[in-house]
């Protein structure tokens, strides 16, 4: 089985796998095994991960879409502009 897109979800939602495991009520090694494809998740585990991610079970399986949990392109651009604007030009 392909691994669950746990790494992608954790990155998108700025969670560690340990935090996701805690939210889902699963052990961290089990979540790590799912992320690496070492273990096949049960339906109950998928439901628990969905609850921990605040998503539906089918969304857990498909992974995050672009911008889901991550800033949009426009939001990223505005963040970058704000960050660069803190610097004064060198004279």
């Amino acid at each position: 089985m392909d691994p669950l897109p746990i790494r992608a979800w954790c990155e998108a939602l700025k969670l560690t796998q340990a935090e996701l495991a805690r939210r889902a009520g699963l052990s961290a090694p089990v979540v790590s095994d799912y992320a690496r494809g070492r273990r096949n998740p049960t339906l109950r585990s998928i439901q628990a991960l969905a609850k921990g991610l605040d998503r539906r079970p089918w969304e857990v399986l498909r992974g995050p879409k672009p911008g889901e949990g991550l800033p949009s392109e426009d939001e990223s651009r505005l963040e970058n502009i704000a960050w660069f604007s803190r610097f004064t030009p060198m004279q």
Side-chain angles (χ1 to χ4, degrees), residues 18-83:
E19 177 65 17
L20 173 57
R22 188 189 65 72
R23 288 181 177 196
L26 300 169
S27 73
V30 168
V31 172
S32 177
D33 285 349
Y34 292 157
R36 294 174 186 210
R38 292 182 179 171
R39 185 184 292 205
N40 291 327
T42 63
L43 180 57
R44 187 170 289 167
S45 293
I46 293 170
Q47 290 170 329
L49 289 167
K51 184 177 178 184
L53 292 168
D54 195 28
R55 297 289 186 267
R56 294 187 173 122
W58 62 267
E59 292 174 309
V60 172
L61 298 174
R62 71 150 159 83
K65 289 182 176 180
E68 189 171 32
L70 295 173
S72 69
E73 223 175 291
D74 290 335
E75 290 169 333
S76 293
R77 187 178 303 111
L78 290 174
E79 284 179 27
N80 288 338
I81 291 170
W83 185 80

